[in-house]
Amino acid sequence: MAESNYRPTKFAVIGAGPVGGVVAAFLAKGGYEVTLCDVVPELLAPALDPGIILEGVDNLQAQVARTTTRIDDLLKDPPEVIFVTVKATALPLIASALEGFVAEGRYVISWQNGIDTEQELAQHLGTKAVMRGVVNFGCVPLGPARIRLAFHHRPHYLQELDPASRDAAIGICKVLTECGLDTKHSEQITDMVWRKTVLNACMNPICAVTGMTMVEIINDPITFNLVDSLIKEGIAVARANEFALGSGYYPYAISYIKNAGNHKPSMLQDIEAKRRTEIDYINGKIIKYGAQAGIATPYNSMIRGLVKALEPK
């Protein structure tokens, strides 16, 4: 990893769900000052005592320094780096609340699923303050501040939106790696976002609509055929928009999903908990980019429609 002069020590994580809990736990375990922020107080209390507990492929327990239910509290004693780990649907509200945070040496990282989440932040905060991560772990909530890591395919990736922030991005990668959350600096983060989103777009919504786990979807020839069609459609849209997935992406995607764990992905968890899903930032973006390039997206349009129909329920 390239050298960097940027060495942050104070972090905040907005979103105390499984993804945010994992980041906060690793940073806290690494000795960094971490503030965990969420609108749901019940999610926060155990993060202070006994601490966030991770089990599964990684096992650790770590206490955050403080918690808050208000983003405004973060601005009183600002951290250097804020990880945004909430569902993409909450982004416009959070981006707006963070406008007062922007200053030299402070950065906001979209550590989320979905396409163009970093652009949503940059609209409010400017490109210099914003970075994008691609996360390669799968986690399931077992309770407040208690998370099971179903898989952890290190490394994760991070890139700045503005070349002026490159040194800071490399410094943040170094901190995360030393904490055990191995993260590499990337020069092709948008391509990586598309590589991951095509995988999310083929499995997540089908599980959400059917109530089946990932393994059940793979083992059923009818649902697997739908997964295959969604992958091919996603690849066509990505390539039409000149995103580089790599020459062997299709066999890679099939191999990846065949090794999917026997767990419920986040979109099914959202439907079961009667929460809004991130379908608009996943399949919805594939539909949008398809229209932009003149590519029909019947499979993505159908599955997005079905998930949207379930949301009000």
Side-chain angles (χ1 to χ4, degrees):
M1 190 181 289
E3 283 307 306
S4 166
N5 298 315
Y6 185 71
R7 190 72 193 187
T9 57
K10 284 174 68 175
F11 294 84
V13 178
I14 299 177
V19 175
V22 170
V23 179
F26 274 99
L27 284 168
K29 190 78 175 171
Y32 292 93
E33 189 181 318
V34 181
T35 302
L36 189 58
C37 177
D38 200 286
V39 291
V40 183
E42 300 78 54
L43 292 175
L44 298 173
L48 289 168
D49 183 27
I52 301 167
I53 298 167
L54 305 186
E55 50 192 80
V57 292
D58 289 289
N59 289 278
L60 63 93
Q61 184 169 347
Q63 296 173 317
V64 299
R66 64 187 66 82
T67 61
T68 178
T69 55
R70 291 164 47 82
I71 287 176
D72 288 350
D73 289 345
L74 300 178
L75 311 187
K76 291 173 190 167
D77 180 19
E80 293 134 294
V81 180
I82 294 178
F83 285 86
V84 177
T85 65
V86 296
K87 296 285 176 192
T89 46
L91 268 176
L93 203 61
I94 283 166
S96 173
L98 283 172
E99 282 176 5
F101 171 75
V102 178
E104 193 63 38
R106 292 190 203 151
Y107 301 95
V108 178
I109 299 171
S110 169
W111 194 257
Q112 300 162 287
N113 277 335
I115 290 167
D116 293 343
T117 54
E118 71 283 4
Q119 299 301 336
E120 194 85 53
L121 288 168
Q123 275 178 27
H124 290 264
L125 311 178
T127 54
K128 198 175 173 190
V130 177
M131 300 180 185
R132 175 67 202 250
V134 167
V135 185
N136 291 314
F137 55 70
C139 44
V140 183
L142 299 176
R146 191 176 186 121
I147 302 147
R148 182 172 71 83
L149 273 152
F151 65 86
H152 192 168
H153 300 148
R154 295 169 169 89
H156 314 284
Y157 293 92
L158 182 71
Q159 187 179 335
E160 67 289 344
L161 267 60
D162 186 318
S165 304
R166 186 174 190 272
D167 184 63
I170 291 168
I172 294 166
C173 288
K174 198 168 171 54
V175 166
L176 290 170
T177 299
E178 287 171 2
C179 290
L181 209 57
D182 309 40
T183 305
K184 285 189 174 177
H185 181 258
S186 173
E187 305 285 355
Q188 292 96 24
I189 203 76
T190 310
D191 295 340
M192 290 182 163
V193 166
W194 272 84
R195 280 177 68 88
K196 186 174 183 202
T197 303
V198 170
L199 293 173
N200 280 333
C202 72
M203 290 292 284
N204 252 310
I206 296 182
C207 291
V209 168
T210 61
M212 294 160 77
T213 67
M214 294 167 110
V215 163
E216 287 167 346
I217 293 288
I218 297 304
N219 290 338
D220 183 314
I222 294 172
T223 50
F224 182 77
N225 192 38
L226 292 174
V227 168
D228 187 62
S229 299
L230 281 162
I231 291 174
K232 286 170 178 161
E233 197 169 275
I235 290 171
V237 170
R239 295 207 163 130
N241 283 278
E242 298 188 17
F243 295 112
L245 301 178
S247 58
Y249 181 76
Y250 174 74
Y252 158 80
I254 294 295
S255 163
Y256 186 96
I257 60 166
K258 281 188 171 172
N259 291 314
N262 190 28
H263 70 280
K264 297 177 178 181
S266 58
M267 202 175 285
L268 173 53
Q269 292 174 37
D270 287 339
I271 290 292
E272 288 182 343
K274 296 181 168 50
R275 291 188 297 255
R276 275 180 73 196
T277 71
E278 297 177 293
I279 192 83
D280 289 330
Y281 285 85
I282 299 175
N283 302 77
K285 289 285 183 179
I286 291 174
I287 295 163
K288 180 189 161 197
Y289 276 89
Q292 194 171 283
I295 301 284
T297 52
Y299 286 97
N300 278 279
S301 298
M302 172 65 83
I303 201 70
R304 177 185 173 272
L306 291 172
V307 171
K308 295 297 273 186
L310 286 175
E311 282 185 343
K313 306 268 191 298

